[in-house]
């Protein structure tokens, strides 16, 4: 069985990533049910999302500064994180009506995700060292699908208690951990070479190329998770205008976010021909243009606005794997795990004010809150200006 799994390592890693990251937005997937049954407001749901992000940031910094990212077997960290995350997510079912305990459990879930997402990237680099941009596109695509999966679970369990989708996400996380444990680590990364400090993860910032790539990634993060958090609100607005049943909301929310899988895979395919930088710039520009245009087009028929939202979901994540590939190509090879973990931590720290601001202002400003996301793509494109497509590191592949 193990030998069979190791014949298709990328498929196993991306499937495990899908299962593990279903924990990320599991509560958002049942947000409407929580609002109806427990009286949660948009601000409450935003607070729970922010807590996951904060846990993820703390977790990534912890594994970077302690050396976990490069010192221990990535497969063991991934599997242990899936187990702990599944337990914390399932615990939310028992504590949802006790906000302090519910927030604590979501914080723990975020901590566990720090052992899933960055370590998943390291596993890809260890097993598939060539064409990293295309390989990471599948990984981030599965992160996107995993983010959307709670909405699918909610849509497929309508009429059943909201606890079912949460428990389903925990079961998927256990499956993901088991798959990675059977796969093990890849043969293409150097062994750990000593104690790791936070400065080791920041060492790549001395490189001009890495600073530009990191800046583009940070701008992308400001926009991405706030949009994913707002997606059910934006979909619900158009479903109401259509006089359609509320049952459409989770299905359409899933579709909007899940289309990012196609964006990631399509961008990964293009990166093999044009390079990761070429794809990252165009995806970031496209999502920024939609962010600018969307609030100005609310007079359009609901069907057209849902189509525009779907296009946004397709483009908003397509640049993410390319930024990761570019960062991996520019980072010190012996510290690639710590470098990616620190970059993730800083990028996800930026999602906290973006999510907090937009969810807090939604009831007051409606769709106009989307313009608060515009600084992300604008500044991201600006810092990428010095990079050249002809630079070998812009191809996003590792030796």
């Amino acid at each position: 069985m193990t030998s069979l799994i190791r014949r298709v390592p990328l498929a196993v890693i991306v499937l495990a990533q899908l299962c593990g990251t279903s924990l990320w937005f599991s509560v958002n997937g049942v947000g409407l049910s929580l609002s109806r049954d427990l009286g949660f407001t948009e601000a409450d749901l935003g607070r729970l999302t922010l807590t996951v992000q904060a846990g993820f940031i703390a977790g990534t910094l912890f594994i970077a500064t302690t050396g976990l990212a490069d010192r221990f077997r990535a497969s063991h960290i991934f599997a242990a994180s899936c187990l702990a995350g599944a337990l914390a997510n399932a615990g939310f079912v028992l504590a949802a009506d006790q906000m302090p305990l519910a927030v604590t459990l979501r914080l723990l879930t975020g901590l566990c995700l720090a052992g899933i997402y960055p370590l998943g990237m390291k596993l890809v680099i260890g097993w598939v060292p060539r064409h990293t941009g295309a390989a990471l596109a599948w990984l981030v695509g599965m992160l996107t699908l995993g983010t959307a999966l709670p909405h699918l679970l909610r849509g497929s369990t309508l009429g059943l208690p909201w606890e079912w989708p949460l428990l389903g996400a925990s079961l998927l996380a256990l499956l993901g951990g088991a798959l990675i444990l059977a796969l093990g680590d890849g043969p293409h990364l150097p062994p750990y070479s000593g104690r790791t400090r936070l400065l080791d993860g920041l060492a790549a910032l001395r490189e001009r190329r890495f600073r530009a790539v990191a800046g583009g990634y940070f701008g992308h993060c400001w926009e991405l998770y706030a949009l994913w958090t707002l997606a059910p609100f934006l979909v619900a607005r158009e479903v109401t205008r259509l006089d359609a049943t509320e049952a459409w909301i989770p299905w359409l929310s899933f579709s909007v976010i899940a289309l990012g899988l196609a964006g990631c895979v399509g961008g990964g395919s293009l990166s093999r021909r044009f390079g990761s930088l070429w794809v990252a710039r165009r995806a970031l520009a496209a999502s920024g243009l939609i962010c600018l245009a969307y609030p100005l087009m609310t007079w359009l028929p609901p069907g057209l606005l849902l189509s525009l939202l779907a296009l946004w979901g397709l483009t908003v994540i397509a640049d993410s794997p390319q930024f990761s590939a570019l960062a991996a190509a520019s980072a010190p090879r012996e510290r690639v795990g710590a470098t990616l973990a620190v970059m993730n931590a800083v990028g996800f720290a930026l999602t906290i004010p973006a999510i907090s601001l937009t969810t807090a202002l939604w009831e007051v400003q409606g769709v106009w809150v989307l313009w608060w996301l515009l600084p992300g793509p604008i500044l991201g494109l600006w810092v990428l200006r010095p990079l050249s497509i002809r630079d070998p590191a812009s191809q996003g592949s590792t030796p």
Side-chain angles (χ1 to χ4, degrees):
M1 182 64 177
T2 301
S3 60
L4 177 62
I5 286 176
R6 290 183 176 178
R7 291 178 187 174
V8 285
L10 181 59
V12 173
I13 295 169
V14 298
L15 179 58
Q17 183 86 339
L18 166 65
C19 295
T21 53
S22 65
L23 302 173
W24 213 310
F25 272 52
S26 58
V27 170
N28 299 73
V30 296
L32 294 176
S33 297
L34 291 173
S35 298
R36 182 180 60 248
D37 297 346
L38 300 180
F40 280 32
T41 65
E42 286 87 352
D44 291 330
L45 294 171
R47 188 179 307 116
L48 291 170
T49 303
L50 290 173
T51 303
V52 177
Q53 303 298 88
F56 179 83
I57 294 162
T60 51
L61 288 176
F62 176 77
I63 64 174
T65 55
T66 60
L68 282 173
D70 295 303
R71 186 174 184 178
F72 298 102
R73 294 176 66 85
S75 57
H76 290 177
I77 298 174
F78 190 105
S81 298
C82 283
L83 173 60
L87 293 175
N89 185 69
F92 182 88
V93 170
L94 302 175
D97 58 347
Q98 305 171 50
M99 185 56 73
L101 184 53
V103 167
T104 301
L105 288 168
R106 294 310 287 167
L107 179 69
L108 292 174
T109 303
L111 285 168
C112 295
L113 285 164
I116 297 174
Y117 180 39
L119 273 298
M121 287 193 288
K122 185 176 180 181
L123 285 165
V124 165
I125 295 168
W127 280 103
V128 191
R130 296 184 59 82
H131 305 299
T132 311
L136 287 177
W138 278 101
L139 187 78
V140 179
M142 285 304 171
L143 164 68
T144 306
L145 195 57
T147 300
L149 199 56
H151 297 288
L152 178 63
L153 291 172
R154 172 73 286 191
S156 60
T157 58
L158 281 175
L160 296 174
W162 54 263
E163 292 90 345
W164 285 53
L166 289 175
L167 295 175
S170 290
L171 290 174
L172 287 173
L174 292 175
L175 173 61
L179 286 172
I180 291 299
L181 201 57
L183 176 67
D185 287 25
H188 299 292
L189 284 177
Y192 179 71
S193 58
R195 185 177 177 181
T196 301
R197 301 168 299 158
L198 178 60
L199 291 179
D200 294 328
L202 298 173
L205 288 174
R206 291 194 289 265
E207 294 290 332
R208 178 185 62 85
R209 290 190 304 272
F210 183 84
R211 289 197 303 271
V213 169
Y217 175 76
F218 298 155
H220 150 81
C221 285
W222 176 269
E223 177 192 18
L224 174 65
Y225 274 86
L227 175 63
W228 279 354
T229 302
L230 293 174
F233 302 159
L234 294 167
V235 167
R237 178 184 183 273
E238 304 313 318
V239 168
T240 300
R241 291 176 65 206
L242 284 168
D243 292 324
T245 175
E246 190 179 281
W248 281 101
I249 296 175
W251 291 103
L252 290 173
S253 298
F254 166 78
S255 300
V256 166
I257 299 173
L259 277 169
L261 170 61
C264 287
V265 174
S269 178
L270 289 172
S271 74
R272 300 184 67 167
R273 180 176 180 184
F274 299 107
S276 292
L277 180 61
W278 187 92
V279 174
R281 277 177 171 158
R282 280 153 182 79
L284 192 58
S287 65
L289 285 173
I290 297 173
C291 183
L292 173 66
Y294 197 97
L296 300 172
M297 305 175 73
T298 52
W299 51 270
L300 288 173
L304 288 179
L305 274 182
L306 286 171
S307 298
L308 184 62
L309 190 58
L311 182 61
W312 198 355
L314 183 78
T315 57
V316 73
I317 186 66
D319 49 356
S320 186
Q322 307 313 316
F323 282 129
S324 296
L326 290 166
S330 303
R333 185 165 171 78
E334 69 278 6
R335 290 288 183 263
V336 66
T339 300
L340 291 176
V342 171
M343 190 178 82
N344 283 163
V346 176
F348 278 80
L350 292 171
T351 70
I352 291 180
I355 293 171
S356 180
L357 185 65
T358 52
T359 54
L361 294 177
W362 174 261
E363 290 187 3
V364 178
Q365 296 185 351
V367 296
W368 292 101
V369 300
L370 296 175
W371 275 7
W372 290 105
L373 306 183
L374 272 174
I378 290 173
L379 293 176
L381 288 169
W382 184 78
V383 299
L384 288 172
R385 288 180 307 117
L387 294 187
S388 170
I389 296 292
R390 293 185 296 273
D391 190 329
S394 297
Q395 301 306 308
S397 58
T398 55

